[in-house]
Amino acid sequence: MECIYLPSLTTRNEEIIVEGDEAKHLKVLRIRTSEKISATNGKGDFFELIIIDIQNKEYKCKVINKYENYGELSIKFGLAIGIMSNNDRFEFALEKGIELGITDFFPVKTEYSQKHTINLKRLEQKSISSIKQCKRSKL
């Protein structure tokens, strides 16, 4: 079952329209009517959805089940890592940390860091990709 990220999804929703990048993702995966998918809002809520209608670039979904803290560990732990000049390695560390269950990520600016800035938007996108891949409910 595929997982998508819908930050606007709440526990009060019974139906939702999936559009934009996540709809493109479902189209590429050839998801059809009556198929089940999962979704997370990144705030601790995880949902099972069923596709009830597909119109142009929108998928209308009905919420089947709701879970709280799905895929999360009962303890909190973080990862602190120095900012690296090689972005790929830094992002890889973030992705693998999330897949292993970290709850907090601390980029550290050290005396010997060659690079002193990070692209937060890109790290957020990598984080979203990781929680979708390993089906976690918190970003």
Side-chain angles (χ1 to χ4, degrees), residues 18 29 59 61 72 75 89 135:
V18 179
L29 294 171
Y59 287 73
C61 305
E72 300 297 324
I75 59 169
R89 288 185 179 182
K135 295 185 172 87

Side-chain angles (χ1 to χ4, degrees), residues 42-87:
K43 299 171 190 139
D45 301 315
F46 193 83
F47 305 86
E48 257 183 67
L49 309 172
I50 189 164
I51 308 293
I52 55 176
D53 189 30
I54 302 171
Q55 298 269 335
N56 294 334
K57 297 177 182 178
E58 296 181 342
Y59 287 73
K60 187 175 182 181
C61 305
K62 182 178 180 184
V63 176
I64 301 172
N65 290 315
K66 303 172 188 178
Y67 305 98
E68 194 171 314
N69 294 323
Y70 184 86
E72 300 297 324
L73 300 174
S74 58
I75 59 169
K76 291 182 72 167
F77 68 99
L79 173 64
I81 189 166
I83 299 173
M84 298 180 208
S85 58
N86 186 335
N87 274 345

Side-chain angles (χ1 to χ4, degrees), residues 5-19:
Y5 176 69
L6 300 170
S8 61
L9 192 57
T10 65
T11 55
R12 292 175 295 206
N13 291 108
E14 293 300 323
E15 290 186 353
I16 186 135
I17 303 291
V18 179
E19 52 193 3

